[in-house]
Amino acid sequence: MKFLFTVLLAAVFFVGCERIEGQLNVTKDLKLVNSNGDTHLLRVGTYSADLRESTFGKKIVLRLNNDANEKFHFLIPGNTSIPDNGTFKLSSSQIGQNVDLAGEVRTSSVDSNPQQMYQACTYNEPYTVCQPAGPNGQEICQTYYRTVYGSQWIQFIDRTTHQDVRLSIAAKGDTSESAQFSGNASWIQRIILNQSFCR
């Protein structure tokens, strides 16, 4: 039985919810509204931070790795997608903050040679239970399913992906940036090329 099936061992930044670790370098004092609705003044300096895209509400979440783990949300319009490779721009009116965003994403992947192995698996097995019922002792039977552990042969490749992300933050209408986030992440996807039934 041939088909293509992808098992994510770590999620992609602009697809899943994993964090991109990096630094936020603030070159001009910057005001952002945090997730609690409070205006926060980010002063000039370098902050440890991480970035992720939330699939709930479609937004970019910037989190400062400080004592409060303060978060800032930037909305992504419904007709806009963040590329795996390329640039994007979002205006203050789109993202719900008094800043403009410009970003760049660079993604590269390398595939391993095809490999094969046996792996553990589970499947549902039917079984029937019959009980006497009625004045004449007729049997009433019902079918149930139980989980059975087995093994299956798989052929696969491992795809190693590296992603670099830069996000430039500028005060609304300003041509020069006030802050820039830079970060990167790597992950592995197991792509199954062929597999046997679980037995």
Side-chain angles (χ1 to χ4, degrees):
M1 181 177 66
K2 286 198 169 186
F3 61 93
L4 189 65
F5 179 72
T6 303
V7 179
L8 293 181
L9 301 185
V12 184
F13 168 54
F14 282 119
V15 173
C17 299
E18 289 300 305
R19 292 186 173 96
I20 299 289
E21 302 286 343
Q23 288 188 329
L24 179 69
N25 183 33
V26 180
T27 53
K28 297 180 184 177
D29 288 355
L30 181 67
K31 288 183 179 180
L32 292 174
V33 177
N34 64 23
S35 57
N36 295 322
D38 302 321
T39 299
H40 180 98
L41 177 63
L42 287 174
R43 297 196 177 276
V44 172
T46 300
Y47 302 82
S48 176
D50 57 60
L51 199 67
R52 67 182 177 89
E53 182 183 1
S54 171
T55 54
F56 301 100
K58 201 176 180 189
K59 57 195 171 189
I60 297 172
V61 180
L62 173 67
R63 182 177 70 98
L64 299 184
N65 296 328
N66 55 19
D67 292 339
N69 284 327
E70 199 162 24
K71 297 177 183 177
F72 305 96
H73 295 169
F74 307 95
L75 302 178
I76 303 174
N79 59 349
T80 301
S81 60
I82 305 299
D84 287 335
N85 269 300
T87 60
F88 63 93
K89 289 184 179 181
L90 297 170
S91 66
S92 62
S93 61
Q94 294 175 303
I95 62 176
Q97 292 270 7
N98 200 33
V99 295
D100 298 323
L101 296 183
E104 181 180 20
V105 184
R106 290 288 174 258
T107 307
S108 59
S109 298
V110 176
D111 290 349
S112 70
N113 292 325
Q115 304 173 63
Q116 55 184 335
M117 61 178 283
Y118 282 90
Q119 67 176 11
C121 59
T122 61
Y123 61 95
N124 290 328
E125 180 182 69
Y127 68 98
T128 302
V129 176
C130 297
Q131 295 178 333
N136 300 320
Q138 304 98 325
E139 283 191 334
I140 294 180
C141 298
Q142 287 184 301
T143 299
Y144 301 91
Y145 288 86
R146 59 188 165 205
T147 299
V148 178
Y149 292 90
S151 66
Q152 66 183 156
W153 170 86
I154 61 170
Q155 183 185 41
F156 63 91
I157 59 172
D158 285 334
R159 176 169 295 162
T160 302
T161 301
H162 181 80
Q163 191 171 71
D164 291 294
V165 178
R166 285 196 295 177
L167 185 68
S168 175
I169 306 172
K172 180 181 177 180
D174 198 337
T175 56
S176 59
E177 72 177 18
S178 299
Q180 184 182 91
F181 172 87
S182 297
N184 61 73
S186 296
W187 63 90
I188 297 174
Q189 295 171 288
R190 175 152 294 177
I191 301 174
I192 297 176
L193 306 174
N194 196 6
Q195 69 181 21
S196 67
F197 288 104
C198 182
R199 286 293 180 266

